[in-house]
C-alpha cells in the first residue's frame, strides 16, 4: 500500500484490543487499528462514538482525566506507550496535537513557536531563530508573519492562528501530529489552506485527524476509520480502510448508511 | 433515522426520469422496425422528430445528476448511482439514435417492397426492447444477477444478426438488383445489434451500482 506521495504505508502506531473506561463507563471497546506512517488517517463517526477519546489515547491526553482506565496496548514504533517507563512529556513531544479551536499563547508569534524548543532545553538564539523560521515556513505562514514576529499571536486571523498552532507543534520536531477537528472553527478558504498544508506535511509526518466533516476526510486522508456508538454507548471501530474505498465502496452496511446520510 | 430524505427523494425522482426516458427509447426502437415493416412513413417521420425529445430528456437528466453531485456531495452507492445514471442516459440516447437510423432507412425505402419478408428483424427489435426493459428493472431493484443474465441474452441477438447477414448476402449474390435494398437491411440489423450491445453496457452499470465493481460482463461478437 502506498500513500499519495508513493511512500510505504507501514504501521507507525499500532492499537491492539484497546478498551477505554471513564469510571464505570466504557467509552471505547476493543479497538484494533494500525496507523500507517507518513500518511493521513482520518477518524469519522457520529458524535459520541469515541473518535476524540481514541485520538487522545495516542498521546495519553486522557491520563489527565480522573478515573480513566485503559486496557489493551498501543505501540508507537513497536514500543508500548502505556508502559510505566514511558516519559509522558517525551511522548507528547513525539506526538504533537492541534485542537479544535486555535489556542495560541498570549505572547508574540516568535515566542509561541520558540516556547516548545525552550521547554526542551534549546536556548541558543540563532538556533531558535532558525527553528521559528523553519516551522513557520513548513506551516506556510512565514510569508504572512515574517515582518511581525514580535506582535501578539492573538492579533492573527483564525486560520493564521491555527497554522501558528501547527507551526508550534512542528517546532519540537514531532513524528506524529494529532488533529482534533482542526478546521471546525475556520472559514472554507482557511480550511482548504490547512488541508493543503496537511498534504504537504504528510510527506514527513504521520497525521491522525478527527473530523465531523466527511468531505474533509474524503479530500485529505489516505486511510479512514469509521467509529460508531454501540447500544451500550461504547465506541467501536466499524470499518478501517483506504479512503478511496470507504467513500466509494464501503464494505460494512453501517458505514454505507452513515456516509450516505441514511442514519446519523 | 433517514437524514438526507430530500436528497434521496431527488435521487429516486431521477431514477423515475430514467424509466420515462427508457420507455421513450423502447417505443422508438419497436416503432422504427414496425415503420420499416409496414412501410409506414408517417410513423418513421414521427420517430425522427421524437428523437429530439429523447435528446432533450438526456440533457435534462444529466444536468440534474451534475447538480446533485455538485451540491450534495454524494458518497458510496449514491455516488455510484449518480455517475452511472449519466452513462445510462448516454446509452439510452444512443439506442434512440439507432432507432432513428432505422426510421431513416424506412423513409429511404419509401414504398419499395422489401427484398424479403421481415421476420427476424422484428424479433431482434422485440428481444432488444425486452432486454432494455429488464435492464432498467434490474437498475431499480439493484439486481446484479438479473443484469448479468440480460447481458447473456445478447448472444441470441448476435446469432440473429449473423443469420440476417448470411441471408442478405445470398439474396445479393443471386440478384444484384437487390443490393441497395439488402444493404439497407444490413444497416437495420446492425443498428439493432448495436442497441443490444448498449443494453449490456447499461447492465454493466447496474452491476457497478450494486457491487462497486466495474466489469465487462459480456463481450459482443461484433
Amino acid at each position: 500500500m502506498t500513500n499519495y506521495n508513493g511512500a510505504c504505508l507501514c504501521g507507525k502506531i499500532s492499537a491492539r484490543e484497546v478498551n477505554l473506561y471513564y469510571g464505570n463507563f466504557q467509552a471505547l471497546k476493543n479497538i484494533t487499528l494500525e496507523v500507517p506512517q507518513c500518511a493521513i488517517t482520518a477518524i469519522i463517526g457520529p458524535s459520541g462514538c469515541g473518535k476524540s477519546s481514541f485520538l487522545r489515547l495516542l498521546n495519553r491526553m486522557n491520563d489527565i482525566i480522573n478515573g480513566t482506565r485503559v486496557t489493551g496496548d498501543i505501540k508507537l514504533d513497536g514500543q508500548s506507550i502505556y508502559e510505566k517507563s514511558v516519559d509522558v512529556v517525551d511522548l507528547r513531544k513525539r506526538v504533537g496535537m492541534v485542537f479544535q479551536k486555535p489556542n495560541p499563547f498570549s505572547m508574540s508569534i516568535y515566542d509561541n513557536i520558540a516556547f516548545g524548543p525552550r521547554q526542551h532545553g534549546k536556548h541558543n538564539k540563532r538556533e531558535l531563530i532558525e527553528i521559528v523560521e523553519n516551522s513557520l515556513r513548513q506551516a506556510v505562514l512565514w510569508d504572512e508573519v515574517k515582518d511581525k514576529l514580535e506582535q501578539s499571536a492573538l492579533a492573527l486571523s483564525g486560520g493564521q492562528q491555527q497554522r501558528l498552532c501547527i507551526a508550534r507543534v512542528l517546532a519540537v520536531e514531532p513524528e506524529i501530529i494529532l488533529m482534533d477537528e482542526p478546521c471546525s472553527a475556520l472559514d472554507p478558504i482557511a480550511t482548504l489552506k490547512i488541508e493543503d498544508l496537511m498534504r504537504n506535511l504528510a510527506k514527513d509526518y504521520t497525521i491522525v485527524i478527527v473530523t465531523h466533516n466527511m468531505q474533509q476526510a474524503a479530500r485529505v486522508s489516505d486511510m479512514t476509520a469509521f467509529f460508531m456508538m454501540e447500544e451500550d454507548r461504547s465506541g467501536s471501530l466499524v470499518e478501517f480502510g483506504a479512503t478511496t474505498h470507504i467513500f466509494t465502496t464501503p464494505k460494512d452496511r453501517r458505514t454505507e448508511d452513515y456516509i450516505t446520510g441514511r442514519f446519523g | 433515522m433517514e437524514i438526507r430524505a430530500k436528497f434521496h427523494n431527488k435521487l429516486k425522482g431521477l431514477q423515475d426520469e430514467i424509466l420515462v426516458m427508457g420507455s421513450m427509447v423502447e417505443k422508438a426502437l419497436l416503432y422504427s422496425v414496425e415503420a420499416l415493416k409496414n412501410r409506414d412513413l408517417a410513423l418513421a417521420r414521427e420517430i425522427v422528430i421524437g428523437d429530439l425529445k429523447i435528446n432533450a430528456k438526456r440533457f435534462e437528466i444529466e444536468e440534474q445528476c451534475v447538480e446533485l453531485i455538485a451540491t450534495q456531495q454524494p458518497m458510496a452507492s449514491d455516488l455510484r448511482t449518480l455517475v452511472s445514471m449519466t452513462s445510462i442516459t448516454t446509452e439510452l440516447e444512443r439506442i434512440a439514435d439507432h432507432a432513428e437510423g432505422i426510421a431513416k432507412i424506412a423513409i429511404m425505402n419509401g414504398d419499395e417492397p422489401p427484398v424479403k419478408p421481415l421476420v427476424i428483424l422484428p424479433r431482434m427489435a422485440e428481444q432488444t426492447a425486452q432486454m432494455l426493459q429488464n435492464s432498467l428493472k434490474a437498475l431499480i431493484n439493484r439486481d446484479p444477477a438479473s443484469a448479468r443474465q440480460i447481458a447473456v441474452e445478447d448472444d441470441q441477438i448476435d446469432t440473429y444478426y449473423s443469420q440476417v447477414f448470411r441471408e442478405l448476402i445470398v439474396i445479393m449474390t443471386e440478384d444484384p438488383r437487390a443490393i441497395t435494398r439488402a444493404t439497407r437491411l444490413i444497416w437495420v440489423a446492425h443498428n439493432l445489434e448495436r442497441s443490444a450491445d448498449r443494453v449490456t453496457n447499461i447492465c454493466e452499470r447496474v452491476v457497478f451500482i450494486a457491487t462497486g465493481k466495474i466489469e465487462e460482463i459480456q463481450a459482443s461478437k461484433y
Side-chain angles (χ1 to χ4, degrees):
Chain A
M1 205 186 306
T2 56
N3 74 352
Y4 288 176
N5 311 315
C8 169
L9 298 185
C10 311
K12 178 74 177 173
I13 305 167
S14 168
R16 284 273 168 273
E17 290 162 22
V18 174
N19 293 286
L20 167 69
Y21 303 85
Y22 294 127
N24 289 328
F25 171 64
Q26 183 164 12
L28 287 173
K29 192 184 274 176
N30 204 18
I31 310 286
T32 295
L33 184 68
E34 195 91 10
V35 174
Q37 184 166 18
C38 290
I40 301 178
T41 298
I43 302 176
I44 61 167
S47 295
C49 69
K51 310 182 287 284
S52 292
S53 293
F54 179 75
L55 192 75
R56 285 139 53 121
L57 284 178
L58 303 181
N59 69 347
R60 291 181 56 175
M61 287 289 276
N62 288 324
D63 286 13
I64 50 180
I65 302 170
N66 278 337
T68 306
R69 191 160 60 83
V70 182
T71 67
D73 195 16
I74 297 177
K75 286 194 166 95
L76 171 52
D77 286 338
Q79 207 64 39
S80 176
I81 62 170
Y82 277 87
E83 262 169 29
K84 281 209 174 92
S85 59
V86 169
D87 175 359
V88 178
V89 175
D90 184 54
L91 174 72
R92 291 185 191 144
K93 177 179 175 296
R94 293 177 67 192
V95 188
M97 193 157 191
V98 177
F99 298 88
Q100 195 166 350
K101 234 178 122 211
N103 54 352
F105 305 135
S106 169
M107 49 177 78
S108 73
I109 293 169
Y110 180 93
D111 286 335
N112 261 278
I113 310 295
F115 186 87
R118 281 180 183 139
Q119 290 291 308
H120 289 99
K122 285 193 174 136
H123 294 288
N124 179 312
K125 206 165 172 209
R126 268 181 46 198
E127 201 182 352
L128 281 176
I129 289 172
E130 203 177 309
I131 290 173
V132 169
E133 178 172 343
N134 280 340
S135 307
L136 287 168
R137 275 190 193 281
Q138 276 195 82
V140 202
L141 188 58
W142 175 250
D143 288 337
E144 290 164 59
V145 301
K146 63 184 177 202
D147 301 321
K148 48 181 179 184
L149 292 175
E150 294 312 317
Q151 284 180 21
S152 167
L154 298 177
L156 296 172
S157 73
Q160 288 173 325
Q161 287 188 11
Q162 195 62 307
R163 278 179 283 147
L164 178 90
C165 292
I166 293 172
R168 197 171 61 190
V169 167
L170 297 175
V172 295
E173 298 174 332
E175 296 158 44
I176 296 164
I177 306 171
L178 308 178
M179 295 184 166
D180 193 354
E181 293 275 355
C183 301
S184 61
L186 304 184
D187 68 67
I189 300 298
T191 297
L192 292 177
K193 277 188 188 164
I194 299 277
E195 289 176 8
D196 205 41
L197 167 61
M198 287 171 70
R199 287 288 1 144
N200 279 331
L201 293 176
K203 289 172 194 155
D204 304 308
Y205 303 90
T206 300
I207 298 176
V208 186
I209 176 175
V210 162
T211 175
H212 273 126
N213 182 337
M214 273 186 283
Q215 277 72 34
Q216 177 168 63
R219 281 194 299 267
V220 85
S221 69
D222 299 290
M223 302 292 288
T224 297
F226 171 55
F227 279 54
M228 226 177 90
M229 195 159 49
E230 307 233 317
E231 271 171 19
D232 62 2
R233 300 179 60 77
S234 65
S236 70
L237 175 65
V238 173
E239 189 169 350
F240 179 53
T243 297
T244 49
H245 286 165
I246 296 282
F247 287 102
T248 56
T249 46
K251 288 196 184 77
D252 196 293
R253 182 82 223 171
R254 293 166 294 175
T255 317
E256 167 89 24
D257 286 348
Y258 179 70
I259 62 173
T260 58
R262 285 179 171 85
F263 91 94
Chain B
M1 184 187 74
E2 163 76 271
I3 343 168
R4 304 191 72 189
K6 220 171 151 186
F7 166 56
H8 288 128
N9 281 341
K10 276 195 177 174
L11 208 56
K12 209 179 151 288
L14 213 49
Q15 195 165 277
D16 293 343
E17 292 298 300
I18 288 204
L19 290 186
V20 171
M21 184 177 174
S23 112
M24 289 162 86
V25 172
E26 190 192 327
K27 271 189 201 135
L29 197 67
L30 287 171
Y31 289 170
S32 67
V33 175
E34 206 176 303
L36 182 81
K37 194 179 169 191
N38 303 333
R39 281 170 274 167
D40 184 343
L41 301 190
L43 182 60
R45 285 194 198 95
E46 243 176 69
I47 292 160
V48 174
I49 294 167
D51 190 55
L52 295 174
K53 275 191 199 152
I54 292 175
N55 292 349
K57 189 92 203 156
R58 176 235 177 144
F59 288 132
E60 195 188 302
I61 294 173
E62 223 171 54
E63 240 168 55
Q64 288 184 55
C65 286
V66 170
E67 192 186 302
L68 283 182
I69 290 170
T71 57
Q72 300 297 320
Q73 290 92 41
M75 295 286 192
S77 61
D78 292 343
L79 177 63
R80 298 201 301 274
T81 301
L82 276 167
V83 170
S84 300
M85 277 181 176
T86 61
S87 334
I88 290 173
T89 51
T90 309
E91 300 295 354
L92 287 174
E93 193 268 329
R94 294 295 294 151
I95 295 174
D97 286 347
H98 292 308
E100 190 198 7
I102 296 171
K104 281 182 173 166
I105 289 168
I107 294 168
M108 260 191 253
N109 283 350
D111 284 335
E112 282 179 46
V115 288
K116 67 185 268 306
L118 299 189
V119 179
I120 297 176
L121 290 177
R123 248 185 241 159
M124 277 178 89
E126 271 157 33
Q127 188 175 332
T128 305
Q130 191 59 53
M131 283 166 64
L132 172 60
Q133 214 181 74
N134 292 342
S135 73
L136 296 180
K137 256 187 219 151
L139 168 72
I140 304 303
N141 300 329
R142 304 285 188 271
D143 182 351
S146 298
R148 288 195 188 94
Q149 185 51 43
I150 296 157
V152 173
E153 290 168 24
D154 184 47
D155 285 348
Q156 177 61 45
I157 299 288
D158 287 347
T159 308
Y160 281 145
Y161 179 62
S162 314
Q163 200 179 332
V164 171
F165 188 81
R166 273 197 315 269
E167 281 177 18
L168 290 167
I169 293 289
V170 170
I171 290 173
M172 287 190 269
T173 319
E174 285 172 356
D175 181 5
R177 283 172 304 172
I179 287 180
T180 308
R181 281 176 295 158
T183 305
R184 285 181 191 153
L185 288 187
I186 291 183
W187 294 343
V188 172
H190 181 71
N191 273 315
L192 291 171
E193 191 275 323
R194 290 301 297 143
S195 296
D197 284 349
R198 293 189 179 277
V199 174
T200 65
N201 293 347
I202 294 176
C203 293
E204 283 169 7
R205 291 294 123 187
V206 172
V207 172
F208 172 64
I209 292 174
T211 66
K213 288 193 189 88
I214 298 181
E215 53 183 89
E216 178 142 28
I217 45 183
Q218 182 76 8
S220 174
K221 267 198 295 191
Y222 297 101

